[in-house]
Amino acid sequence: MSATLEVLNTLQNSFIGQSVAKSNHLVGATFQVFHVLGFIVLLASVVLVNLRLLGYGLRGQTAPQIAAETNRLIWLGFGFAVVSGTAMFFSAVELYYFNPAFKLKIAVLLAAAVLQLTLFRKVTATDTPNPALVKVSVLLSIVLWFGVGLAGRAIGYV
Amino acid sequence: MSAILELAQGIQNSEIGTALAESTIAFPIIEGIHLLGLSISVGLIFLTDLRLIGVLLRRVPIIDVLHHLRPWVLSGFAVTFISGFLLFWSEAATVIVSPAFSVKFLFILLGGLNALYFEFKLARLTAVVENHEVVPVGVKYAGIASIGLWTLVIIAGRLIPYLP
């Protein structure tokens, strides 16, 4: 067994991991509910900014103005999803650790978060972004965030 | 009830229902598409509601938010309904016995009625159409009701496999 897995197993056997795992299955379901609600808020906010970048929505506002308002919601949704997701992970470490859909989801999630903090932040910071850069950012943003949802939903089936 | 259950069993056992349920690829992909469709439809409704309540995009006229987001909300719903219908086809008999399933549809009905009342009454008030500084307080209440009802739809939907 790898060292990482050993650390993860220790966490699973910790107070929090055991509390989630051994509690009524409705506690697990509650984390699932918060996880999906967080994702919905995150994705809709990302979609709204992308629509503005492409010129499809809320043209009365500039992209930076929309992004400034939705950024709080993006990170709020992200926070809810990560906290509930972490609780779910530590309640069944081996179930997730060896799951290919889970690994894919985490990889795509990290890429999406990095994009959000770098290129996406850059193109939403100016009123006159480079049009080619906008297209690349929107494409990557949609592919990565949609990918997180698709891979996440597949975890239970692979 | 037994007639409904038999019908559901028949739907689930149909050729397409069985093929979907047994497909290791199609089923999770349709589940994923259902999630993305509802994230766009319900998610953009949440953002619209926050505007109605007055906590988000306050500088954008309500009428503009409705005008620009309506086509995306409706497209998202189309995707959600079609994928949801396919999911139902493959597991009809399993899901209809869950109380969460009927509760979900009750809240979809209430959320839909609230949206219709808003669209055909409140959104057509002069104060909203002409973007007055003060809009009737009913607009705010419709936003609060919408957030509550669609949240209940999501909660009930996610609980379908958990109850019982």
Side-chain angles (χ1 to χ4, degrees):
Chain A
M1 191 185 292
S2 73
T4 320
L5 193 57
E6 232 167 272
V7 172
L8 293 173
N9 266 319
T10 312
L11 282 166
Q12 179 172 333
N13 294 327
S14 70
F15 174 70
I16 295 174
Q18 286 299 298
S19 312
V20 178
K22 292 210 175 124
S23 54
N24 186 299
H25 76 306
L26 282 181
V27 175
T30 307
F31 283 123
Q32 293 275 1
V33 166
F34 279 112
H35 201 61
V36 73
L37 284 172
F39 181 74
I40 290 170
V41 170
L42 158 74
L43 197 79
S45 307
V46 167
V47 165
L48 187 71
V49 181
N50 278 317
L51 286 174
R52 179 60 193 87
L53 282 174
L54 293 176
Y56 288 133
L58 306 180
R59 278 184 293 265
Q61 302 281 296
T62 64
Q65 282 173 322
I66 304 274
E69 295 223 38
T70 52
N71 256 341
R72 283 173 300 164
L73 280 176
I74 289 177
W75 296 113
L76 179 76
F78 188 81
F80 267 94
V82 168
V83 170
S84 55
T86 307
M88 276 145 52
F89 176 75
F90 285 126
S91 66
V93 166
E94 292 199 17
L95 184 95
Y96 290 104
Y97 191 72
F98 294 110
N99 188 299
F102 176 75
K103 287 183 198 170
L104 177 67
K105 174 185 174 175
I106 296 300
V108 179
L109 174 64
L110 288 176
V114 168
L115 172 80
Q116 198 69 34
L117 293 169
T118 56
L119 189 60
F120 207 80
R121 175 172 281 184
K122 195 181 156 189
V123 297
T124 53
T126 162
D127 289 347
T128 51
N130 179 328
L133 220 50
V134 167
K135 281 188 189 122
V136 173
S137 307
V138 170
L139 183 70
L140 282 174
S141 170
I142 293 297
V143 167
L144 292 174
W145 285 116
F146 278 27
V148 171
L150 289 173
R153 207 63 196 83
I155 291 172
Y157 302 95
V158 296
Chain B
M1 182 65 203
S2 69
I4 298 176
L5 198 61
E6 247 171 68
L7 179 69
Q9 197 70 55
I11 295 171
Q12 182 171 333
N13 292 343
S14 68
E15 212 171 303
I16 294 179
T18 315
L20 281 175
E22 285 176 356
S23 165
T24 49
I25 303 269
F27 195 81
I29 288 178
I30 298 170
E31 282 270 20
I33 291 171
H34 193 61
L35 171 70
L36 295 179
L38 73 87
S39 295
I40 291 171
S41 53
V42 174
L44 290 178
I45 285 181
F46 282 159
L47 299 185
T48 308
D49 294 335
L50 291 176
R51 172 63 189 88
L52 300 183
I53 296 168
V55 295
L56 188 80
L57 300 167
R58 265 174 296 204
R59 283 167 306 193
V60 188
I62 289 176
I63 205 77
D64 284 2
V65 174
L66 296 174
H67 175 73
H68 287 294
L69 297 190
R70 198 182 285 121
W72 300 101
V73 168
L74 294 177
S75 317
F77 267 123
V79 171
T80 312
F81 275 123
I82 293 167
S83 54
F85 178 74
L86 290 172
L87 292 173
F88 178 72
W89 201 332
S90 64
E91 49 180 11
T94 321
V95 292
I96 62 157
V97 293
S98 170
F101 188 72
S102 15
V103 168
K104 173 178 173 174
F105 279 89
L106 172 70
F107 287 125
I108 290 176
L109 177 71
L110 294 175
L113 289 175
N114 180 58
L116 286 176
Y117 179 74
F118 174 77
E119 282 283 355
F120 290 101
K121 286 278 179 194
L122 302 176
R124 293 181 180 192
L125 297 173
T126 318
V128 175
V129 175
E130 294 177 0
N131 190 34
H132 292 178
E133 194 70 37
V134 179
V135 292
V137 72
V139 169
K140 190 176 183 173
Y141 291 150
I144 294 171
S146 174
I147 288 193
L149 290 169
W150 291 112
T151 301
L152 289 166
V153 171
I154 303 297
I155 293 174
R158 197 63 195 87
L159 290 182
I160 291 171
Y162 292 91
L163 292 176

